[in-house]
Amino acid sequence: MVSVLAQADSGTAAPGLKVYLPLVLLFVLAAAFAVFSVSLGPLVGPSRYNKAKTSAYECGIEPSPQPLVGGGRMPVAYYITAMLFILFDIEMVFLYPFAVNAGALGVFGLVEILLFIVTVGFAYAYVWRRGGLDWN
């Protein structure tokens, strides 16, 4: 009876859970740092507001009172193009692990990466056909 309790206390009852302890501690540390940073910012940072700080920032271009397009803001095409660049750039980052382990993945990995490239190609063709890349 005593030896069974000693084994349970030594951690042999659930040896697989010990592996996840560093990961859980990392998540707890990251969450604590995020909460600490967000709560400390308003207390420590300056609180002097002026017109320049509260106005919209449009890529360094001051909005004019009589705009040619829109309400004094940059055209939406700029933001759409930037978001599309980020989207396709992040999708292409997924090709790097395949390039590193191409030999180990074999034919299955090749088929999977070709399916991924075809899917991204369809998305790119859709955006191109809908005019998402046109500036006019």
Side-chain angles (χ1 to χ4, degrees), residues 8-61:
D9 287 340
S10 67
T12 57
L17 295 180
K18 284 185 175 182
V19 177
Y20 294 106
L21 183 63
L23 187 62
V24 170
L25 290 176
L26 180 67
F27 281 130
V28 168
L29 183 65
F33 179 74
V35 169
F36 176 73
S37 298
V38 169
S39 62
L40 191 65
L43 298 174
V44 177
S47 59
R48 291 169 271 151
Y49 295 103
N50 56 25
K51 185 178 178 185
K53 283 188 177 182
T54 57
S55 67
Y57 179 72
E58 300 289 342
C59 302
I61 299 172

Side-chain angles (χ1 to χ4, degrees), residues 103-114:
L105 295 175
V107 176
F108 176 75
L110 180 64
V111 170
E112 290 296 321
I113 206 66
L114 286 177

